[in-house]
Amino acid sequence: MSKSVKKLTGLVAATFTPLTAEGEINLSVIGSYVDYLTEKQNVKSVFINGTTGEGCSLTVDERKQLAAAWCQHGKNKLEQVIVHVGCLSIKDSQELARHAASIGADGIAVISPSYIKPTNADALKLFIKEVSAFAPDLPMYYYHIPSMTGVALDAADVLNGIEQMSPSFQGVKYSGTDLRDLGQCVRYSQSHNWSVMFGVDEQLLGALVLGVHGAVGSTYNYLGRIVNQMLAAFDNGNHTQTRALQFEIMEVITFAKNLGFDVSVNKQVMSEVSGLAMGPPRLPLLPCPVSKAQAIAQKIKDFSQGH
């Protein structure tokens, strides 16, 4: 890459995609969304069009419009806008990467193709290389989420040697629960000054101990302020406070999971907590019963008021 890279660290909100009642993208919400994250949650970076953002349910044009809106409204307010460009088609991913570079995004990320899957790590590395070539000056991150893609390759095998193929490669968003593999990613990334960002919100403390540089998650949209307290306590060596906060966050997420906590529910919870109109999910996701989202939102509000 020809320009210096600002390392991705700290909390990153995996953003929701606002939709109208008719199911069209609602760009009018993005400006207020940026302000809510930065002013109410003290979250200064975003990861857009990912799993939480229903990215793979959006058209290429919709994803471009959203990316442009986040970059526009985030200018001078957000530290980093990372655009997920993963698609089943490498051509679509390449076009989204090219577009992200043209609008001033701070980085791009890709999941593994998940219908016709790579048979080994070398195939996935080649896919990442060919996408990053369309945005050679943007940091590229591999988004590892085997629960959604069904691609069970070790992320550490994908990282191993990828710098020789993709000079713009800068790290991994690790949304798996294999701490052995995660630890190998952290260890390999140390000598390259890459970012390893963790993506399982309720298990963040375990990842911090292994040395991750931050976290990307959906709950940081409305729990960011408290999780930032947890990160500060960890950095200050206050392990008792860190553990107490993680246990409380686990309790909130467990409460939500027991009621059924998918992207659809989470999206409605964001609307209830933030007051922003996130709108419905897109099929095949079904709308969430409002009563369920309200119960989870109340739990979050009670927790937040105590901190």
Side-chain angles (χ1 to χ4, degrees):
M1 292 190 301
S2 60
K3 63 179 182 179
S4 60
V5 175
K6 183 177 181 182
K7 188 166 183 175
L8 186 62
T9 61
L11 283 193
V12 180
T15 57
F16 300 92
T17 293
L19 297 180
T20 66
E22 294 74 34
E24 302 299 322
I25 58 172
N26 187 2
L27 301 179
S28 67
V29 177
I30 304 300
S32 299
Y33 198 162
V34 170
D35 292 340
Y36 175 80
L37 290 175
T38 56
E39 297 171 10
K40 301 295 186 182
Q41 298 300 331
N42 194 29
V43 172
K44 304 294 177 64
S45 294
V46 294
F47 185 98
I48 70 166
N49 295 343
T51 306
T52 302
E54 304 170 79
C56 290
S57 296
L58 304 172
T59 68
V60 168
D61 184 61
E62 287 174 327
R63 289 169 72 165
K64 287 181 179 180
Q65 291 184 57
L66 284 158
W70 277 100
C71 287
Q72 175 192 346
H73 291 288
K75 190 173 183 179
N76 300 322
K77 292 183 178 182
L78 293 172
E79 293 179 357
Q80 297 213 39
V81 176
I82 308 299
V83 180
H84 173 244
V85 302
C87 299
L88 294 180
S89 164
I90 191 169
K91 294 293 187 182
D92 288 344
S93 288
Q94 288 170 333
E95 174 56 22
L96 287 170
R98 183 205 61 76
H99 178 261
S102 74
I103 59 173
D106 299 287
I108 55 175
V110 290
I111 55 169
S112 169
S114 58
Y115 184 70
I116 298 177
K117 300 176 175 64
T119 55
N120 54 41
D122 288 339
L124 182 49
K125 281 189 274 194
L126 189 58
F127 181 90
I128 294 170
K129 171 192 174 183
E130 295 298 328
V131 174
S132 63
F134 278 68
D137 289 330
L138 283 187
M140 163 65 86
Y141 303 93
Y142 166 49
Y143 177 9
H144 179 70
I145 184 162
S147 63
M148 297 297 288
T149 63
V151 176
L153 302 170
D154 276 3
D157 289 340
V158 178
L159 268 57
N160 186 20
I162 197 170
E163 70 279 0
Q164 298 169 20
M165 302 172 66
S166 303
S168 60
F169 192 83
Q170 288 295 313
V172 57
K173 179 194 174 195
Y174 195 99
S175 294
T177 56
D178 185 343
L179 295 185
R180 173 201 56 81
D181 184 33
L182 174 64
Q184 292 295 294
C185 289
V186 173
R187 185 179 185 185
Y188 190 81
S189 297
Q190 287 173 337
S191 61
H192 302 287
N193 198 32
W194 292 343
S195 295
V196 179
M197 307 293 287
F198 195 57
V200 185
D201 304 8
E202 63 271 30
Q203 297 182 12
L204 177 54
L205 178 53
L208 289 173
V209 172
L210 284 174
V212 299
H213 305 97
V216 182
S218 62
T219 65
Y220 309 140
N221 282 283
Y222 44 77
L223 289 176
R225 182 180 61 82
I226 297 172
V227 179
N228 269 317
Q229 294 176 20
M230 184 180 123
L231 293 180
F234 182 83
D235 289 341
N236 291 331
N238 190 337
H239 300 312
T240 300
Q241 182 186 5
T242 308
R243 202 160 41 237
L245 284 169
Q246 180 70 95
F247 286 159
E248 289 186 89
I249 292 164
M250 285 176 169
E251 182 180 344
V252 170
I253 295 177
T254 299
F255 177 84
K257 284 182 176 290
N258 286 341
L259 290 179
F261 193 52
D262 60 9
V263 171
S264 174
V265 177
N266 204 1
K267 190 174 193 179
Q268 184 62 37
V269 168
M270 177 61 176
S271 295
E272 298 291 337
V273 174
S274 69
L276 299 169
M278 292 293 109
R282 180 167 286 181
L283 288 170
L285 292 177
L286 296 174
C288 159
V290 175
S291 60
K292 180 189 292 188
Q294 288 175 336
I296 297 169
Q298 189 59 53
K299 183 81 169 178
I300 291 166
K301 290 175 183 177
D302 292 343
F303 173 45
S304 298
Q305 288 172 358
H307 296 277

